Amino acid sequence: MNITWALLMMALGSVGVQHNSHEADVTAALQSAMNPSIAAQHSSNPDASPNTAGGNEATPAPGATPDANASPGATDTAILTDPQPDAPKVKGIYVTAYSAGGSRMETLLNLLDKTELNSMVIDIKDDAGYITYKTDNAELQQMGHPQPFIGDINKLMERLKKHDVYPIARIVVFKDSVLAKKKPEMSFVTANGSVWTNKGGDSFVNPYNQDVWKYNVDIAKEAAKLGFKEIQFDYVRFPEGFEKRADTLKYTKSDRPRVEIISDFVKYAKTELEPLGVRVSVDIFGYAASVPAAEGIGQDFVKISKNVDVISPMVYPSHYSTGWFDVKDPDKNPYATIKGSMVDTHKKLDPLGSFKPIIRPWIQDFTASWLGSGHYVKYGKQQVEDQIRALKEKNVDEFLLWNANNRYTSGVDYEK
């Protein structure tokens, strides 16, 4: 279908605009929709309106990053070997730090013990920016704000090993209210001197700032030493709609395109973590495989994918709107929606050849009631299995299930 119309409908429909959102939110989404991209990032509440993200061809303001020409990781390196060659075909679930450190963990481990699921993606740095366990690392303590959501991280790792769980550490990178408030010079500052926040009250830190790069990679290094086999970076982007405020906010910047800054961070992280033998993965908007690069937020599907071991597009059917993949209501037809998204994903990544990463999508195990009556269905066994079947038919045999409350459907055949 026509991409501009698809993006417009996406703004009004399943992505970024809840049915009872304020008029201002709808207006902002429509404006972003007319740019090359709009989509929904992971939400901490599956029944809440996801964030929107848009981009255009705006030219970044001139400036200079520290030693911009010698940006860490700026040189391409071939990704030809898997740092985890003995890893299983990952079939995993998302686990909050609260669940990992609380009573729900018993239920989740039992789910993995009794099914084909074998992996957990656990928050190590969450959506607010909190490090989710007590660390002895003085630099991390100084930059972040460690919390005891996971009371004993070493005990957790032992528990995961006992149950033969493949552990993945989720690190939310540039969405970081904790660091932004602690060190405004690493964030985006408004004309009145306050740290910028989006409509949800969240702040981001500046992807141009290489101290931010190092901080997040240092957290990843500690996660690797704790025993995590893979580091999954999320929110690897500028704030939503950044192109509309790029020239008015105060922040350290260079004349390099935002898509290069983001891909350079990924290259840097991969280079730094490679000696530790862990995989590097990145979450990215699922629709990004179907539309041009999101210049505004700095996400280019191919540039990012080229520099990771695993790419995890978020292809939740509820995050596509009327007409995508010739489906009237994508949320009500998960099979066709997932299949269409995988066709586009392969088409986008096949030219990478040996650089092509493992494709491991995030799929939907939640009910998108915010879409409104007639536009969604209650997700259960059939809907989850339909998504897995579509992936398998397109030669994708790894996946991750997202449910922000960590309540996953029972009785699912994960080998469908």
Side-chain angles (χ1 to χ4, degrees):
M1 69 180 295
N2 180 276
I3 289 298
T4 300
W5 179 246
L7 296 175
L8 181 63
M9 291 304 295
M10 188 179 289
L12 289 172
S14 61
V15 178
V17 183
Q18 195 173 2
H19 64 277
N20 61 351
S21 292
H22 293 297
E23 184 176 343
D25 293 330
V26 176
T27 301
L30 284 169
Q31 290 172 344
S32 289
M34 300 312 294
N35 292 323
S37 344
I38 180 171
Q41 192 86 19
H42 281 148
S43 169
S44 58
N45 181 354
D47 293 322
S49 172
N51 291 333
T52 58
N56 64 14
E57 299 291 336
T59 303
T65 53
D67 197 13
N69 293 328
S71 180
T75 302
D76 284 342
T77 56
I79 302 174
L80 301 175
T81 58
D82 188 344
Q84 290 284 318
D86 298 324
K89 297 291 185 182
V90 170
K91 298 175 174 63
I93 59 174
Y94 167 62
V95 179
T96 66
Y98 299 100
S99 291
S103 60
R104 180 168 295 279
M105 192 60 169
E106 189 65 33
T107 300
L108 297 175
L109 286 169
N110 188 53
L111 173 65
L112 267 65
D113 286 343
K114 294 183 176 181
T115 67
E116 299 86 358
L117 295 173
N118 57 18
S119 179
M120 289 183 175
V121 180
I122 300 174
D123 280 338
I124 292 303
K125 177 169 172 264
D126 67 16
D127 293 61
Y130 290 113
I131 296 172
T132 61
Y133 63 96
K134 286 296 186 183
T135 174
D136 294 327
N137 186 311
E139 289 187 16
L140 298 187
Q141 291 173 346
Q142 191 269 333
M143 293 277 281
H145 191 171
Q147 296 288 315
F149 301 144
I150 300 172
D152 189 331
I153 188 68
N154 291 307
K155 184 177 180 180
L156 171 64
M157 299 309 296
E158 291 172 6
R159 197 176 185 189
L160 294 174
K161 187 174 182 179
K162 179 181 178 181
H163 287 265
D164 198 25
V165 175
Y166 185 79
I168 301 173
R170 177 177 180 249
I171 296 174
V172 177
V173 183
F174 298 118
K175 180 185 176 185
D176 191 336
S177 296
V178 169
L179 183 57
K181 291 173 183 176
K182 203 168 189 179
K183 293 184 177 294
E185 68 275 13
M186 292 186 177
S187 184
F188 304 101
V189 179
T190 65
N192 66 13
S194 63
V195 173
W196 175 85
T197 61
N198 63 17
K199 288 183 174 65
D202 303 308
S203 295
F204 279 64
V205 286
N206 181 9
Y208 283 101
N209 190 308
Q210 293 178 11
D211 288 334
V212 173
W213 294 15
K214 183 179 184 301
Y215 169 57
N216 282 278
V217 170
D218 282 350
I219 295 172
K221 288 178 178 179
E222 181 157 287
K225 290 173 183 176
L226 286 168
F228 284 95
K229 303 297 184 184
E230 179 176 319
I231 307 301
Q232 182 187 96
F233 293 111
D234 202 355
Y235 283 85
V236 184
R237 62 175 177 84
F238 284 78
E240 59 276 8
F242 188 77
E243 69 284 352
K244 296 189 293 290
R245 55 185 64 91
D247 296 326
T248 58
L249 294 173
K250 298 177 182 178
Y251 59 100
T252 301
K253 52 192 170 185
S254 74
D255 56 359
R256 303 187 67 228
R258 289 185 284 275
V259 291
E260 289 186 12
I261 295 298
I262 294 299
S263 63
D264 278 358
F265 163 74
V266 177
K267 294 174 191 176
Y268 166 71
K270 183 71 171 68
T271 300
E272 291 290 306
L273 293 169
E274 204 161 26
L276 300 181
V278 292
R279 283 174 169 174
V280 171
S281 60
V282 166
D283 297 334
I284 193 167
F285 297 138
Y287 83 103
S290 306
V291 298
E295 302 285 347
I297 59 172
Q299 281 194 335
D300 182 301
F301 194 83
V302 175
K303 286 181 181 293
I304 290 174
S305 297
K306 184 179 180 180
N307 293 288
V308 295
D309 300 300
V310 180
I311 192 71
S312 289
M314 297 170 282
V315 293
Y316 316 121
S318 61
H319 288 178
Y320 293 89
S321 61
T322 299
W324 276 95
F325 313 118
D326 296 321
V327 178
K328 181 180 179 182
D329 286 302
D331 186 74
K332 296 168 69 175
N333 194 338
Y335 169 80
T337 304
I338 295 295
K339 194 166 185 178
S341 71
M342 289 301 100
V343 168
D344 284 354
T345 297
H346 283 302
K347 190 181 298 183
K348 199 97 164 183
L349 298 184
D350 280 348
L352 289 180
S354 63
F355 287 88
K356 185 177 181 179
I358 294 167
I359 299 170
R360 186 197 300 147
W362 280 102
I363 60 176
Q364 181 171 331
D365 195 357
F366 59 86
T367 297
S369 57
W370 66 81
L371 297 179
S373 178
H375 298 290
Y376 77 95
V377 294
K378 181 176 175 57
Y379 267 55
K381 173 179 164 65
Q382 179 181 334
Q383 288 72 28
V384 175
E385 289 181 351
D386 282 350
Q387 294 175 87
I388 295 170
R389 179 164 56 91
L391 292 175
K392 197 168 186 177
E393 289 181 11
K394 301 313 297 181
N395 299 313
V396 176
D397 50 11
E398 299 195 19
F399 59 84
L400 300 169
L401 296 169
W402 180 268
N403 181 292
N405 295 322
N406 301 167
R407 298 179 184 275
Y408 296 98
T409 301
S410 61
V412 172
D413 179 359
Y414 295 108
E415 294 291 339
K416 199 69 177 177

